[in-house]
Amino acid sequence: MDFVRIGVIGLGNMGTSHASYIHKGDITGARIGALLEERPARVAELKQHYGDTVPIFENEDAFFQSGLIDAVLIATPHYSHPRLAKKAFAAGLHVLCEKPAGVFTSEVREMNEAAAESGLVFSLMYNQRTKPIYQKLRELIQADKLGKIRRMNWIITDWYRSQSYYDSSSWRATWAGEGGGVLINQCPHQLDLWGWLIGKEPARIRSFCSFGKYRDIEVEDEVTAYLEYDDGATGVFITTTGEAPGTNRLEVTGTKGKVVIEHEELSYWQLETSEPEFNQTYTGGFGAPKHTQIDVSIDQDGNDHKGITQNFVDAILHGAPLIAPGQEGIYGLTLSNAMQLSTWTDSWVHLPIDEQAYEQQLKKRIHASTGKKIAAETTLDVSDSH
Amino acid sequence: MDFVRIGVIGLGNMGTSHASYIHKGDITGARIGALLEERPARVAELKQHYGDTVPIFENEDAFFQSGLIDAVLIATPHYSHPRLAKKAFAAGLHVLCEKPAGVFTSEVREMNEAAAESGLVFSLMYNQRTKPIYQKLRELIQADKLGKIRRMNWIITDWYRSQSYYDSSSWRATWAGEGGGVLINQCPHQLDLWGWLIGKEPARIRSFCSFGKYRDIEVEDEVTAYLEYDDGATGVFITTTGEAPGTNRLEVTGTKGKVVIEHEELSYWQLETSEPEFNQTYTGGFGAPKHTQIDVSIDQDGNDHKGITQNFVDAILHGAPLIAPGQEGIYGLTLSNAMQLSTWTDSWVHLPIDEQAYEQQLKKRIHASTGKKIAAETTLDVSDSH
């Protein structure tokens, strides 16, 4: 194979952006093979934009059986991700899927199994994994520079979304359409990075979500979650779409030091003696282990979305290791599901999550939903989105 | 009255420090009238240090009836604060009490009532209220510069204490001796500032304390607490004595802007349009209210402990308004009690706190305690303490 023919599924905000840079030739070894879009009005716009240069399908089966594509990039609403991915694997197509992997973990597990059986390349659009600042933090942790991780706090409240954003699409911010709000739509990146950075998953979660607190929506728009690990580590995750100016501050502390990422800068403090060792030997009462602030060089900004798409194509063509293997999508989704479930049950959620309990609670909300009336569907420019 | 004769009760770490600067004449209008110390070894040291310049009492009643003092400064272990304060009021003496006001709220309420009846001056050593950086934040909030407060997060993990600190005294970090750990001993300042800054008290608290996690102690040395207010505001409070290098970062966000205090600097972002107003009128989908970072000038550092003592003396001599009225001590203590109780009951604590439930739980732990054996009592130098 000299190049990968990618079929983009779903030409909403993100799909349009992906199709555009691939079509422009920004991804080495990739071309647009076809597009799949079911909304007639959007199809008309696409035909006007692409003319005869790209085949546009309105029928899913015809698209999958066209023989025009080697891989799909799925950018449809969340619920459909696992179903479409499984259909692609069955058709022998590699899959790059937008985040989140799905809405609940049981079907994501099935998708992962289908991917494993197929032997095809499966990746998720966790583009923030390509950011050098997070790669550097992961490197420090993996090199044991922070020692045993004890605490992780992420205040990620710069996902500001106005009511007009929510009103741009009828499926957005509904239980039936998205299965959640800020957790499932904006935070999949942070929830993915959370486990990817420290390499462990929590034992239990206690979370406090507010639903439609700042916006006229039925899903959560504010979350504070507390996480506990079997090894004693703790975490706090705070997010909202209702706050301006927001904060994006990640703090990770371990027995050997501390890292803070804020304002796109990484600060690293290294202890001269590890905290437990200092504590064992110090006799002075007041006093703490000495530390040094270490300068850490960070590369230029990563390739973001294009970086993940390029890596996906390189994996198909040259066997490059994936930055964001599809199978890892279940970890962040588990955190998201658990944070909602803990609020709904007003109690701890122990991991692995009780998938049946989660689905029951979600379905209850889908059934109770009154739906959402909007003036008109709008395709938003996501060039500044993450 | 030309000057106030202060009797210092309890010449441990803090009491020694207070007696020292008053004796040196650092407080205008104040002198040391007498000292009260019951530990013979410490009395011997004091006699050697002060010689005949200051009367030293070993008997509490003799001290209170000596006629040598107009006011007391109480710096004994926490449990005794309300009892000694009430005794002082009964003897017609003004009271300046070290933090915390007491260990549980019911006796602090009784102390407050006694203070009110006496008409005497009653203040608490909340010296961090004198810090210009917190005074400035309070000023901004009171001038409505942040609008309605929506979220407050305090990561205050720079209270590092080694095992040798805990081993310096037999009452330290025991249920019977202190009634708690980092909440009752290190954090009273932050728990006081919390409500003093934003001027409201939470409706309910869900908290997660760890007891003896990093140190060989029976009380809490790590806390993550989540607070909810009737008006929808939320808060997170994170503290530990086991972490180095620690963090002291306070973030307060409102409908009109945000303030962050970290590294002894205050950063203030002001929105051009308030968030709710922007949200109501904006139609562009993605997009957020514009903000400006405003330079805020902060005065030189405040007078700290001496500032509170001077203010107390000025209140007695000249009717100066108190910076830290004693009656306000119950607010921070309520937060502290509620954070422990929520952990013990593994559930929400609604305010006002169920005082009986708290006392029952605390007494259970006092009775179950195995006590603490230490090599020798040590007086620590607290010149760097807060």
Side-chain angles (χ1 to χ4, degrees):
Chain A
M1 201 188 290
D2 288 339
F3 56 87
V4 179
R5 297 167 304 164
I6 297 178
V8 177
I9 308 180
L11 281 296
N13 303 338
M14 293 311 301
T16 300
S17 163
H18 293 307
S20 170
Y21 67 73
I22 299 170
H23 189 62
K24 276 201 292 183
D26 289 356
I27 305 300
T28 307
R31 297 182 190 174
I32 291 288
L35 305 176
L36 173 60
E37 172 58 54
E38 293 179 338
R39 295 169 295 173
R42 186 74 190 120
V43 169
E45 287 171 0
L46 292 168
K47 284 192 171 157
Q48 194 160 21
H49 182 77
Y50 285 102
D52 293 332
T53 61
V54 177
I56 299 165
F57 289 86
E58 296 180 62
N59 178 282
E60 193 177 294
D61 289 329
F63 168 84
F64 276 105
Q65 290 152 22
S66 66
L68 297 172
I69 52 179
D70 309 304
V72 295
L73 196 167
I74 301 171
T76 51
H78 319 325
Y79 274 107
S80 56
H81 293 178
R83 184 185 68 77
L84 289 165
K86 284 190 283 183
K87 196 158 179 174
F89 294 132
L93 303 169
H94 306 285
V95 172
L96 173 56
C97 185
E98 260 295 341
K99 47 85 193 168
V103 175
F104 41 96
T105 54
S106 55
E107 44 173 26
V108 168
R109 212 160 11 80
E110 284 171 27
M111 173 176 73
N112 286 351
E113 284 160 16
E117 276 168 35
S118 75
L120 293 157
V121 173
F122 177 33
S123 181
L124 281 162
M125 188 51 78
Y126 283 138
N127 52 287
Q128 295 214 7
R129 287 193 184 189
T130 67
K131 287 190 81 162
I133 207 161
Y134 296 125
Q135 293 203 329
K136 178 58 74 178
L137 171 54
R138 189 168 186 247
E139 220 176 279
L140 290 170
I141 292 171
Q142 290 190 337
D144 198 35
K145 296 290 185 187
L146 298 188
K148 182 183 159 311
I149 301 304
R150 287 174 160 188
R151 191 170 57 78
M152 184 150 166
N153 297 148
W154 205 330
I155 303 175
I156 169 74
T157 54
D158 68 349
W159 286 124
Y160 189 79
R161 295 293 184 267
S162 65
Q163 189 64 42
S164 65
Y165 163 84
Y166 291 110
D167 293 347
S168 70
S169 178
S170 60
W171 57 269
R172 200 176 283 291
T174 62
W175 294 117
E178 291 202 287
V182 63
L183 286 171
I184 201 83
N185 197 311
Q186 281 74 39
C187 288
H189 292 301
Q190 285 75 37
L191 295 176
D192 170 61
L193 292 174
W194 189 281
W196 178 74
L197 286 167
I198 62 173
K200 53 189 179 187
E201 300 302 321
R204 61 176 190 162
I205 293 178
R206 186 70 178 87
S207 177
F208 313 95
C209 301
S210 294
F211 304 94
K213 180 176 183 176
Y214 296 125
R215 301 293 177 257
D216 182 17
I217 52 175
E218 60 190 22
V219 295
E220 79 281 352
D221 54 3
E222 187 179 75
V223 180
T224 301
Y226 171 71
L227 298 83
E228 277 186 2
Y229 291 74
D230 276 334
D231 66 1
T234 68
V236 170
F237 185 81
I238 298 170
T239 191
T240 179
T241 54
E243 202 170 294
T247 294
N248 183 358
R249 182 183 188 276
L250 171 63
E251 173 166 331
V252 185
T253 68
T255 49
K256 295 184 179 177
K258 175 172 93 167
V259 164
V260 172
I261 295 179
E262 189 174 11
H263 308 304
E264 302 284 329
E265 281 174 18
L266 185 152
S267 308
Y268 168 37
W269 294 266
Q270 192 180 57
L271 297 183
E272 288 182 15
T273 318
S274 86
E275 190 287 310
E277 193 185 331
F278 176 88
N279 181 54
Q280 272 175 5
T281 53
Y282 185 69
T283 57
F286 292 101
K290 287 197 181 116
H291 61 264
T292 329
Q293 188 161 359
I294 308 280
D295 282 328
V296 176
S297 69
I298 307 285
D299 302 337
Q300 290 305 304
D301 212 307
N303 284 315
D304 221 41
H305 293 113
K306 291 183 197 173
I308 292 290
T309 309
Q310 186 66 63
N311 171 250
F312 172 67
V313 169
D314 292 346
I316 296 168
L317 293 178
H318 317 298
L322 286 174
I323 296 167
Q327 276 84 350
E328 295 178 9
I330 201 162
Y331 298 120
L333 183 63
T334 298
L335 300 183
S336 172
N337 286 182
M339 288 176 190
Q340 291 175 325
L341 185 58
S342 170
T343 305
W344 292 334
T345 59
D346 198 16
S347 65
W348 289 102
V349 168
H350 294 264
L351 301 191
I353 191 170
D354 180 340
E355 293 180 338
Q356 215 181 344
Y358 179 78
E359 285 180 47
Q360 275 173 4
Q361 290 276 354
L362 177 62
K363 280 179 185 152
K364 206 162 80 183
R365 278 157 187 86
I366 292 171
H367 293 141
S369 170
T370 53
K372 189 175 164 188
K373 302 278 178 292
I374 62 155
E377 299 279 336
T378 321
T379 300
L380 302 172
D381 177 6
V382 293
S383 49
D384 287 335
S385 179
H386 308 279
Chain B
M1 202 188 291
D2 288 339
F3 56 88
V4 180
R5 298 167 303 163
I6 298 178
V8 178
I9 309 179
L11 281 295
N13 302 338
M14 294 309 304
T16 300
S17 163
H18 293 307
S20 170
Y21 66 73
I22 299 169
H23 189 62
K24 276 200 294 181
D26 289 354
I27 305 300
T28 308
R31 297 183 191 174
I32 290 289
L35 304 178
L36 172 61
E37 171 58 55
E38 293 179 338
R39 294 168 297 172
R42 185 77 191 118
V43 169
E45 286 170 1
L46 291 168
K47 284 191 170 155
Q48 193 160 22
H49 181 78
Y50 286 101
D52 293 332
T53 61
V54 177
I56 298 165
F57 289 84
E58 297 179 62
N59 179 282
E60 193 178 294
D61 289 328
F63 168 83
F64 276 105
Q65 290 152 23
S66 66
L68 297 173
I69 53 179
D70 309 302
V72 295
L73 198 168
I74 301 171
T76 51
H78 319 326
Y79 274 107
S80 57
H81 293 177
R83 184 184 68 76
L84 289 166
K86 284 190 287 184
K87 196 159 182 175
F89 294 132
L93 303 169
H94 306 285
V95 172
L96 173 56
C97 185
E98 260 295 342
K99 47 84 193 168
V103 175
F104 42 97
T105 54
S106 55
E107 46 173 25
V108 169
R109 212 158 12 78
E110 285 172 26
M111 171 176 73
N112 287 350
E113 285 160 15
E117 276 168 36
S118 75
L120 293 157
V121 174
F122 177 33
S123 181
L124 280 162
M125 188 51 78
Y126 284 138
N127 52 288
Q128 295 214 6
R129 287 193 185 190
T130 67
K131 286 190 80 159
I133 206 160
Y134 296 126
Q135 293 204 329
K136 177 59 75 175
L137 171 54
R138 187 167 186 249
E139 220 176 280
L140 290 171
I141 291 170
Q142 290 190 337
D144 198 35
K145 296 289 185 188
L146 297 189
K148 182 184 160 313
I149 301 305
R150 289 175 158 187
R151 190 170 58 77
M152 185 149 165
N153 297 146
W154 206 330
I155 303 175
I156 168 75
T157 54
D158 68 348
W159 287 124
Y160 189 79
R161 295 292 184 268
S162 65
Q163 189 64 45
S164 65
Y165 163 83
Y166 291 111
D167 293 347
S168 70
S169 178
S170 59
W171 57 270
R172 201 175 283 291
T174 61
W175 293 119
E178 289 202 287
V182 64
L183 285 172
I184 202 81
N185 196 310
Q186 281 75 38
C187 288
H189 292 302
Q190 285 76 36
L191 295 175
D192 170 60
L193 292 175
W194 189 281
W196 179 73
L197 286 167
I198 62 173
K200 53 188 179 188
E201 298 303 320
R204 60 176 191 163
I205 294 179
R206 187 69 179 86
S207 179
F208 313 94
C209 301
S210 293
F211 303 93
K213 180 176 182 175
Y214 296 125
R215 302 292 177 259
D216 182 18
I217 53 176
E218 60 189 22
V219 296
E220 80 282 352
D221 54 4
E222 186 179 75
V223 181
T224 301
Y226 171 71
L227 298 83
E228 277 186 2
Y229 290 75
D230 277 334
D231 66 1
T234 68
V236 170
F237 186 80
I238 297 169
T239 190
T240 179
T241 53
E243 203 171 292
T247 294
N248 183 358
R249 182 183 187 277
L250 171 63
E251 172 167 332
V252 185
T253 68
T255 50
K256 296 183 179 177
K258 176 172 93 168
V259 164
V260 171
I261 295 179
E262 189 173 11
H263 307 305
E264 303 283 330
E265 280 175 19
L266 185 151
S267 308
Y268 167 37
W269 294 265
Q270 192 180 57
L271 297 183
E272 288 183 13
T273 318
S274 85
E275 191 288 311
E277 194 186 329
F278 176 87
N279 181 54
Q280 272 174 4
T281 52
Y282 185 68
T283 57
F286 292 101
K290 288 196 179 116
H291 60 263
T292 329
Q293 187 161 2
I294 308 279
D295 282 329
V296 176
S297 70
I298 308 285
D299 302 337
Q300 290 305 304
D301 212 304
N303 284 316
D304 219 42
H305 292 113
K306 291 183 196 172
I308 292 290
T309 309
Q310 184 67 62
N311 171 251
F312 172 67
V313 169
D314 291 345
I316 296 168
L317 293 179
H318 317 297
L322 286 174
I323 296 168
Q327 277 84 349
E328 295 179 9
I330 200 164
Y331 299 120
L333 183 64
T334 298
L335 300 184
S336 172
N337 285 183
M339 289 177 190
Q340 292 176 325
L341 184 58
S342 171
T343 305
W344 292 334
T345 59
D346 198 16
S347 65
W348 289 101
V349 168
H350 295 263
L351 302 191
I353 191 170
D354 179 341
E355 294 180 338
Q356 215 181 345
Y358 179 78
E359 285 181 47
Q360 275 172 5
Q361 289 276 353
L362 177 61
K363 279 177 186 153
K364 207 162 80 181
R365 279 159 185 83
I366 292 171
H367 293 141
S369 169
T370 53
K372 190 174 161 186
K373 303 275 178 295
I374 62 156
E377 299 279 336
T378 322
T379 300
L380 301 172
D381 177 7
V382 293
S383 50
D384 288 334
S385 180
H386 306 281

